[in-house]
Amino acid sequence: MKRWFVFCNGNLLLEKKEDGSYDIPVSSTPPVATNDDTQIIEVEPLDDSLPAKVCTYSTHNVQDSALEPCMLRSSYYKLPEELYLMAGKCAEMVYWDENTKYCGHCGAPMKFDTRNSKCCTRCGRMIWPLLSTAIIVLVNRGDKLLLIQAKNFKRDFFGCVAGFVETGETLEEAVKREVMEETGIKIKNIRYFKSQPWPYPCGLMVGFYADYESGEIKLQLSELSRGGWFDKDNLPTLPEKLSIARMLIDNWLKEHHLETKGV
């Protein structure tokens, strides 16, 4: 028996149980109709649970009425955390497979060599899934938090300063640079919080805390629409609980014996 992580256009196929809960389909064969062109990928489980396989589907080959499509992000609220994380890993494998059909060196077809690597059928070049590493940092100034609203946010919430790590840069250097670029302030006492896989489509978010040092806020208007210092009594709408941004905020407020509002 295997767990089948099945995707279509960003949707993950979930099995709805009689008690209203959701699970990932478990069976010996795919839960959707397949053909010779269906790519089935074997993925290493995150724990010692059932073996996992991944494939894609189209809306017309779902035959079981107990199976429901759900956006991967929304599945966080329906699945146990370990299955949501595994679904994210599987989504990243689907994205990687779809974008590495041909060798970047000679143009020949690529084929799977192991569960986590591909080999060129002509020149033998090996490739592995790539991660885009990004930092995210919650800056405090006493009992106030620096929260920003990026122009690419799809909802009206405020989050933390974040950005991708550049080549040759340490994580701490990326934290300082992104805060300076986006807000114009200097920070100190950078300290690690935790990291989080972010499969939208293939990221790794590394979270930090930092203290304000000096400077006045000057927003990078090409990327940010709003931003400023907020205390517990005037918090804006916060990110969803699945995000490390929200974890940073909730944990800081908890440590300072404060309460959050919002999502």
Side-chain angles (χ1 to χ4, degrees), residues 58-229:
S58 59
T59 54
H60 68 270
N61 65 356
V62 179
Q63 301 170 342
D64 190 340
S65 60
L67 300 179
E68 297 182 6
C70 176
M71 293 297 294
L72 176 60
R73 189 184 295 260
S74 300
S75 72
Y76 172 84
Y77 302 100
K78 295 183 177 182
L79 292 173
E81 183 178 15
E82 63 272 16
L83 289 183
Y84 164 76
L85 291 173
M86 188 64 195
K89 178 178 180 178
C90 292
E92 290 185 326
M93 290 300 295
V94 169
Y95 178 85
W96 178 67
D97 177 53
E98 290 177 347
N99 287 276
T100 54
K101 296 295 187 186
Y102 300 96
C103 178
H105 178 69
C106 72
M110 301 292 292
K111 68 175 183 179
F112 272 90
D113 184 59
T114 68
R115 291 178 178 178
N116 207 41
S117 67
K118 284 186 176 184
C119 179
C120 177
T121 55
R122 179 186 298 162
C123 70
R125 180 174 181 259
M126 299 290 295
I127 61 171
W128 291 263
L130 297 178
L131 282 177
S132 298
T133 304
I135 58 85
I136 182 166
V137 54
L138 180 62
V139 181
N140 76 282
R141 185 178 186 178
D143 62 353
K144 295 183 182 293
L145 301 177
L146 176 63
L147 301 175
I148 53 90
Q149 186 177 74
K151 290 185 175 180
N152 64 357
F153 287 174
K154 296 181 179 180
R155 296 175 56 198
D156 187 28
F157 66 85
F158 284 67
C160 304
V161 172
F164 290 106
V165 180
E166 295 182 353
T167 302
E169 189 175 50
T170 68
L171 296 173
E172 293 80 4
E173 288 169 344
V175 170
K176 288 184 177 180
R177 174 183 54 78
E178 285 291 342
V179 173
M180 174 58 69
E181 288 179 356
E182 294 193 5
T183 68
I185 67 171
K186 291 184 178 180
I187 56 174
K188 61 183 180 181
N189 192 24
I190 298 171
R191 49 207 185 274
Y192 174 76
F193 171 57
K194 66 183 295 185
S195 61
Q196 178 190 41
W198 194 245
Y200 304 103
C202 52
L204 176 67
M205 302 296 296
V206 186
F208 292 89
Y209 289 110
D211 299 333
Y212 167 84
E213 181 175 349
S214 63
E216 297 296 326
I217 293 178
K218 296 180 181 178
L219 296 179
Q220 186 180 27
L221 297 179
S222 61
E223 294 189 11
L224 306 181
S225 55
R226 290 183 288 175
W229 298 106

